[in-house]
Structure formats: C-alpha cells, structure tokens
C-alpha cells in the first residue's frame, strides 16, 4: 500500500496545477531569504520513511539512463564502469524518487570518503572514545569544507581504522556492504606515510559507490544519522563549501538561494562530487557522481543541468540560461 500511495503522490507532484506552479515560481522570483527555508534534517515518520533502494522511480531512472545513453562519452564510460551517477528527488522527503547508473560500482573516490570519517568521529563522541573539543570540531570542518588532508589524517589518527570500518559496516547504516557492491571506505591516512588497509572487495584505500554516498546524505537529511541533533551537526560541517568547483560552481549560478551540503574528491583522472541541494520551490535533491576520466571535471559540471532538467516540474517556466 505504501508503494502505491507513493506512486500516485509523485504523479501529482509532476503534474502540479498551473496556478500552484506559478505561485511557487513567484515565490522564487521574490528572492526568498535563505533563513525562510526549512533546512534539513527534516522529520519523516517511521511509518512513512522508505530506504532509497526501495524508492527507485521508473520514470526518473529511465530519464537518467537515457541522458547517459544520448551522450557518447558518458555512455562509453558507463559501459566500462568508469562512471557512476545517483540522483534523488527530495521534493517530498517522505517519498524520495531514486535513480542510478552504476550505483553499486566501487570506484576510487579520493577525498569524497572523508564523509565516513565525519560519521566515525561523531560515533566516537557518542560512545566516549573521542572527546568532543573545539579542536576536533575545527579539524572536521577543515576536512570537509576545504578538504584538508592534514585534518583528515588527524581524525583518522584519533579514531583509528578499526573504528572507521566498524562504523561504515554498522547494521544501522550499512554504508559499506559486501553484499551490495561495497561502499564508503577509508583505509589509508591522507598522507604519503602509513600502511594501507584496503577494502575487502575491490582492494581500494579511499573508495565509494554512488548509491552509498546518496544513502549517507539521505540518512542525514532525514535525521537518521545517529540522531536528528547529531545529523544537524554533521550537516553543519558539510554546509557552505569552501571549494567552488564542479557541482558547486554550476549550482551557485543556477540557484543562488539554495543551500548546499557538499563533499568532493579529485586525484589525477579520478573525479567525484556529491551534494545535498536544498532550495526553494522544487530544487531539493541529492546528486552524486564519480568518474574516471581526464575530462571528469567537465562531465560533472555538465551533469548538473541534466539532473535538474529531470527534476524540474514540466509546467514551470524554463530557467533563464
């Protein structure tokens, strides 16, 4: 019954009355202040909350796959499992619409898996194995906001690899799941020295799958990462990105009123980005992409308008270029 209700609900969202759509467009045009947005985490009752893997929307999924198929370079990368993309429509957080291409493909993700260190540190606060100090909080902000490798290494040294692996494999989260292709993994300090502790499936030290990164953001956005208050604190580190490239540079131009919660990663030909976008009207979504290509940075920028085109209600006016 829940699934059928969800399907009818989404049809209604996509076919919203013209008057309501125009009213929402007018709201956006007035320049609603960021403070007026209901920021995440948002409460979703347990009886309505659905895991992302059970929330695949056929229409959105077909649209994303079609977009990849229509671009020869993207299609080739996807066929070679060198491109993974996940998109989640959060216009109604209790009824997410999920789509993916190679969502379970394990890839080298550079600094993106630092989000796993964020969760491991907060779990350590909770169990008392790490003291919550201003110094540690500052390290986590630097690790996420400007992707500081020295700060990430300091968190790794404080928490330890055993704790990190335990947290990402925790049944509450299953952010690394050997039965579903793996996921988030940090198995080496972000420094030249130090032993490697590669993931059991792919043997990668800093790894992720697009689906698991999407799940991380969805758990945070709905207050299910430890607790609503801890989720809010973690979102605070992800807010206001200090690096304005890839997804962020494009979204900031297209939607200056939107709040962004973001972590990216780049090393050599490996490029990745992830963002929870929270803006007025319909622009509330999660977008994650990882690519192995020399042109990966450009591909990530080009992906944003493609993803937003799949999400924008059809009866809203087209955005001004």
């Amino acid at each position: 019954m829940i699934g059928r209700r969800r399907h009818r609900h989404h049809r209604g969202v996509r076919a919203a009355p013209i008057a309501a759509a125009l009213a929402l467009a007018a709201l956006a045009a007035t320049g609603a202040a960021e403070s007026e947005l209901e920021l995440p985490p948002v409460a979703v009752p347990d009886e309505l909350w659905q895991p992302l893997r059970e929330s695949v929307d056929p229409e959105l999924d077909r649209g994303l796959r079609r977009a990849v198929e229509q671009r020869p370079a993207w299609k080739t990368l996807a066929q070679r499992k060198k491109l993974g993309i996940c998109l989640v429509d959060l216009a109604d957080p209790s009824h997410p619409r999920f789509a993916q291409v190679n969502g379970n493909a394990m890839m080298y993700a550079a600094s993106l898996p630092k989000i796993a260190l964020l969760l491991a540190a907060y779990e350590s606060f909770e169990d008392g194995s790490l003291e919550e100090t201003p110094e540690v909080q500052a390290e986590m902000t630097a690790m996420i906001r400007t992707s500081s490798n020295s700060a990430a290494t300091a968190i790794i040294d404080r928490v330890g690899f055993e704790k990190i692996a335990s947290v990402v494999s925790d049944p509450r989260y299953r952010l690394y799941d050997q039965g579903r292709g793996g996921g988030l993994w940090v198995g080496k300090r972000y420094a030249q020295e130090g032993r490697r502790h590669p993931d059991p499936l792919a043997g990668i030290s800093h790894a992720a799958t697009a689906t698991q990164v999407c799940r991380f953001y969805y758990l945070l956005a709905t207050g299910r990462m430890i607790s609503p208050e801890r989720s809010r604190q973690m979102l605070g580190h992800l807010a206001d990105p200090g690096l304005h490239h890839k997804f962020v540079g494009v979204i900031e131009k297209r939607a200056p009123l939107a709040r962004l919660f973001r972590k990216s990663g780049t090393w050599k030909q490996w490029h990745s980005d992830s963002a929870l976008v929270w803006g007025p009207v319909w622009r509330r979504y999660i977008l994650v992409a990882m690519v192995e290509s020399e042109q990966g940075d450009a591909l990530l920028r080009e992906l944003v308008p493609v993803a937003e085109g799949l999400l924008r209600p059809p009866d809203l006016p087209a955005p001004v270029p």
Side-chain angles (χ1 to χ4, degrees):
M1 292 298 293
I2 292 178
R4 289 195 291 272
R5 287 199 303 269
R6 182 166 67 249
H7 184 66
R8 290 197 299 270
H9 175 86
H10 292 320
R11 277 205 306 252
V13 170
R14 300 293 292 177
I18 293 177
L22 292 176
L24 290 173
L27 172 64
T30 63
E34 288 183 353
S35 60
E36 295 176 359
L37 296 176
E38 180 193 5
L39 295 177
V42 294
V44 177
D46 290 343
E47 63 271 17
L48 294 179
W49 192 85
Q50 289 288 319
L52 278 186
R53 295 185 192 277
E54 299 175 12
S55 302
V56 174
D57 182 86
E59 178 186 356
L60 186 62
D61 199 63
R62 283 194 299 270
L64 181 60
R65 293 176 184 277
R66 188 181 306 116
V68 172
E69 289 282 330
Q70 290 172 348
R71 293 161 173 81
W74 296 19
K75 179 179 179 180
T76 298
L77 289 167
Q79 289 174 336
R80 298 170 63 190
K81 296 292 192 293
K82 293 189 174 184
L83 173 64
I85 305 172
C86 283
L87 176 63
V88 184
D89 181 0
L90 290 178
D92 180 353
S94 63
H95 298 88
R97 303 170 64 231
F98 178 52
Q100 59 86 26
V101 173
N102 290 332
N104 293 330
M106 193 77 159
M107 299 179 66
Y108 179 76
S111 290
L112 178 54
K114 290 174 182 176
I115 58 178
L117 302 179
L118 183 67
L119 176 59
Y122 271 91
E123 284 286 355
S124 298
F125 293 158
E126 287 292 293
D127 65 24
S129 60
L130 178 63
E131 184 180 359
E132 188 171 357
T133 66
E135 180 182 4
V136 175
Q137 288 286 351
E139 287 172 350
M140 289 191 295
T141 296
M143 172 182 75
I144 298 296
R145 199 163 289 172
T146 58
S147 203
S148 167
N149 284 339
S150 59
T153 296
I155 296 296
I156 291 172
D157 291 344
R158 292 179 187 276
V159 175
F161 290 110
E162 183 176 347
K163 182 58 171 287
I164 297 166
S166 173
V167 168
V168 296
S169 303
D170 191 306
R172 291 175 295 167
Y173 312 124
R174 297 191 184 280
L175 294 170
Y176 185 88
D177 187 341
Q178 292 194 45
R180 293 181 177 271
L184 284 166
W185 189 268
V186 176
K188 189 183 183 301
R189 301 166 85 235
Y190 283 89
Q192 290 186 349
E193 69 281 357
R195 290 182 54 196
R196 292 179 70 246
H197 305 268
D199 86 277
L201 285 178
I204 306 174
S205 297
H206 301 135
T209 66
T211 293
Q212 293 288 32
V213 177
C214 260
R215 292 184 62 251
F216 178 94
Y217 281 99
Y218 183 55
L219 289 167
L220 274 183
T222 55
R224 282 174 163 77
M225 199 73 85
I226 302 179
S227 68
E229 181 53 36
R230 287 304 197 186
S231 294
R232 182 175 293 105
Q233 288 179 275
M234 283 184 271
L235 284 165
H237 296 290
L238 290 155
D240 305 320
L243 303 175
H244 300 264
H245 59 355
K246 301 179 186 175
F247 288 172
V248 172
V250 179
I251 295 170
E252 286 177 335
K253 291 179 180 179
R254 294 174 64 89
L257 296 179
R259 291 295 304 271
L260 304 182
F261 306 87
R262 184 270 191 122
K263 185 73 195 81
S264 66
T266 298
W267 190 68
K268 295 186 178 180
Q269 72 268 31
W270 288 277
H271 302 267
S272 58
D273 210 347
S274 64
L276 166 62
V277 181
W278 204 262
V281 199
W282 55 270
R283 192 179 266 111
R284 296 186 176 186
Y285 62 88
I286 300 166
L287 180 62
V288 178
M290 299 186 295
V291 58
E292 181 185 347
S293 168
E294 297 292 345
Q295 287 74 46
D297 184 87
L299 188 156
L300 293 174
R301 293 196 303 271
E302 294 165 5
L303 178 60
V304 172
V306 172
E308 291 201 341
L310 295 172
L311 299 176
R312 186 174 59 87
D315 43 12
L316 280 181
V320 177

